[in-house]
Amino acid sequence: MAADEPADPYPSHRFVVDIGTDERLGFAAVRGLSVRVEVAPDEAETGASDTGDSPWWDFGDWFDQYRESLPSTERRRTQSPNLQLQRGVGDDTTLWDWLQEWVAGTVKPRTVHVILLDGAGRPVRGWRCLAATPVEWSGPELVADRSGVATEELELAHEGLEAVSDLSAWRDEGDGDPE
């Protein structure tokens, strides 16, 4: 394929998640890779002062007049939902242990990487969740009259999502930190 030809979309089932441990864990699903930009009006446009009574993003009547102008960057804020990591339950207790260590205050927040792989298993796109901390662990639904794989899910709060552009460490070593 020539360098100027667009690549086909990458398969969504080929990815790697690094939660900042020495072990490589496999995950069945990752949810929450999104960023929402919210824009708040300034006091001059709304005639209001920041009293703390209303949320900073209160989209009152000002929105129709405001949407045609470009807001300043000081009034733009980003928000990302919690990251949800799901995998099959096995002997490994890494996710449960991380949650318990966070509750006990014995570990610090971690940077979590999600790396998308192409069909040959090479890293092609990546995202970094900054200062991730466990906020909820969900165990398997156990039902005696139904077959299936027992799964666990760890939900992580984080301080922002960044795109990772330099994946050379992942390409060269396969498990390096792409920062």
Side-chain angles (χ1 to χ4, degrees):
M1 174 177 5
D4 58 349
E5 288 184 39
D8 288 333
Y10 302 111
S12 64
H13 67 279
R14 298 192 51 107
F15 59 93
V16 174
V17 179
D18 177 358
I19 65 168
T21 63
D22 292 334
E23 304 132 26
R24 187 166 266 207
L25 305 175
F27 291 93
V30 175
R31 292 181 191 84
L33 288 174
S34 68
V35 176
R36 178 181 176 84
V37 178
E38 295 176 343
V39 180
D42 63 15
E43 288 182 30
E45 290 173 329
T46 63
S49 63
D50 185 13
T51 62
D53 295 334
S54 63
W56 70 270
W57 51 264
D58 189 3
F59 291 105
D61 296 333
W62 71 271
F63 186 73
D64 290 333
Q65 298 92 26
Y66 181 73
R67 66 180 162 183
E68 295 179 15
S69 66
L70 181 65
S72 69
T73 57
E74 291 81 35
R75 295 178 310 192
R76 293 184 200 152
R77 296 187 186 179
T78 61
Q79 178 182 38
S80 292
N82 289 349
L83 191 67
Q84 300 170 348
L85 305 175
Q86 185 180 43
R87 71 180 193 153
V89 173
D91 293 340
D92 182 78
T93 61
T94 301
L95 300 184
W96 176 260
D97 295 343
W98 185 16
L99 174 70
Q100 294 306 308
E101 290 167 356
W102 176 250
V103 169
T106 59
V107 295
K108 295 180 180 179
R110 299 178 184 173
T111 299
V112 173
H113 295 92
V114 178
I115 307 297
L116 183 63
L117 308 173
D118 66 10
R122 293 181 303 256
V124 289
R125 297 282 308 270
W127 299 270
R128 177 176 31 240
C129 294
L130 305 171
T133 58
V135 294
E136 183 177 348
W137 178 89
S138 300
E141 179 179 320
L142 304 173
V143 182
D145 65 347
R146 191 173 10 165
S147 65
V149 174
T151 60
E152 66 179 334
E153 184 174 300
L154 187 66
E155 187 171 327
L156 305 172
H158 56 89
E159 294 182 4
L161 181 67
E162 296 179 345
V164 178
S165 57
D166 181 10
L167 296 170
S168 58
W170 285 89
R171 287 186 190 104
D172 296 340
E173 301 170 22
D175 61 351
D177 187 354
E179 294 184 272

